[in-house]
Amino acid sequence: QTMLQGLITQGLCQLLEPHVLIRCRQKDLKLVEEVLDKAGKEYKALVRLEVFLTVDKKNFLASDIAGGVQLSAKAGKLLVVNTLEARLDQIVKQKVPEVRAMLYGANPNRKFFD
């Protein structure tokens, strides 16, 4: 419940839009509706902007994903995918250079380490 609230709040901070549509898995619908008010209040405290949140009860995320939410604004033109799979992909991309260095050693030709 806390994680889901954090994912929603983080997505709201990335969008910074007044009207946001939230999509979730069908089995997470009740849980998302429970944390919606808390996430909205937390967002308002952080950025001092009002937000109107709507949960999409017709189009759900795939049931085979691990969880998380997808937030959209401006009729779907702005989209933040905050599913657990998307978060895992971000972590993998960040860790690839470290794994490469462990497997093959440091590259002497590399000048920048972002």
Side-chain angles (χ1 to χ4, degrees), residues 7-76:
L7 290 173
I8 293 171
T9 304
Q10 184 182 44
L12 291 172
C13 290
Q14 289 174 340
L15 284 174
L16 293 173
E17 290 292 324
H19 298 279
V20 177
L21 179 70
I22 299 174
R23 290 179 60 206
C24 62
R25 296 184 305 175
Q26 190 168 8
K27 61 182 172 182
D28 292 338
L29 182 61
K30 185 177 177 186
L31 190 59
V32 169
E33 289 175 337
E34 287 175 10
V35 300
L36 213 56
D37 287 336
K38 292 177 190 174
K41 288 176 185 175
E42 187 177 356
Y43 170 77
K44 187 176 179 182
L46 286 170
V47 297
R48 293 177 178 80
L49 294 174
E50 196 69 39
V51 65
F52 300 99
L53 302 172
T54 309
V55 179
D56 191 345
K57 295 179 182 176
K58 293 181 182 174
N59 302 312
F60 295 102
L61 296 178
S63 60
D64 60 344
I65 66 169
V69 291
Q70 187 179 59
L71 296 91
S72 64
K74 305 266 185 196

